[in-house]
Amino acid sequence: MPRDRTLSKESTIYTYRLLKRVHYKPIFFQVYWVLTVCAFLAAAIAISFWSVPAGLIGVPVGVVGIPLVQTLLLRLLLRTKVKHAPQSWSWSYQLPWFGYAPGTDTYIAMTKVRRLHFHVLWIVLVLLGCLYPWLPPSLFGFLIFTHLWLLLPRLIIIFLLRKHSSSGYLKINENDSSCYTQ
């Protein structure tokens, strides 16, 4: 029994044209992780040198707390802007999209990605600035470093795709981030 290959009148066909692709080079991520481990060790030593309780509590709080705050802010911003939390966003454990990020099976508008990440960048910096009087300087620096470390690879990709941010759609793959247009 042959199947009818005609499209119905209600069918919607999306065609995307590639504008730019940013390939992930493994050597950059390896160097990034090595430098990160060195920086975390130096921060833990510096924080514990100034105050042992702040070092023992501050480093785990920074490593776990900052990604959680970023995730909560992204979910809150998505919920207030889109009126619901999209199901396509999930946790990613690979750079450059380490943390809460769009899934690999969806296209998301570059303007939305840029706006969300710049909001998260500034809101967390303001929240940390509000805590400045009560935090030791080394712990404060460590928390800012952790926040920027998590967002820096994403911001670099957004910067590289900035030319197409007004009309582009971001698609994240395992080996690259691509910008498409409809």
Side-chain angles (χ1 to χ4, degrees), residues 112-154:
K112 185 185 293 186
V113 172
R114 187 183 71 221
R115 186 178 60 240
L116 287 171
H117 284 85
F118 282 126
H119 279 133
V120 168
L121 172 70
W122 290 111
I123 290 171
V124 173
L125 287 177
V126 167
L127 288 174
L128 289 174
C130 291
L131 296 175
Y132 174 73
W134 297 281
L135 295 176
S138 55
L139 179 59
F140 178 72
F142 175 73
L143 293 175
I144 288 181
F145 168 78
T146 305
H147 171 58
L148 295 176
W149 172 81
L150 287 171
L151 285 182
L152 185 63
R154 296 177 184 209

Side-chain angles (χ1 to χ4, degrees), residues 38-115:
C38 293
F40 279 143
L41 289 175
I45 291 169
I47 293 170
S48 61
F49 176 73
W50 292 105
S51 167
V52 173
L56 294 176
I57 296 170
V59 172
V61 166
V63 171
V64 174
I66 295 293
L68 288 178
V69 169
Q70 289 177 349
T71 298
L72 290 174
L73 278 173
L74 280 170
R75 286 189 61 83
L76 180 67
L77 288 168
L78 284 167
R79 206 167 263 231
T80 56
K81 300 293 182 184
V82 185
K83 304 294 184 217
H84 63 77
Q87 301 298 325
S88 60
W89 285 63
S90 62
W91 268 88
S92 171
Y93 297 101
Q94 294 180 347
L95 282 174
W97 298 98
F98 187 82
Y100 196 62
T104 58
D105 59 342
T106 186
Y107 294 88
I108 184 166
M110 281 297 298
T111 54
K112 185 185 293 186
V113 172
R114 187 183 71 221
R115 186 178 60 240

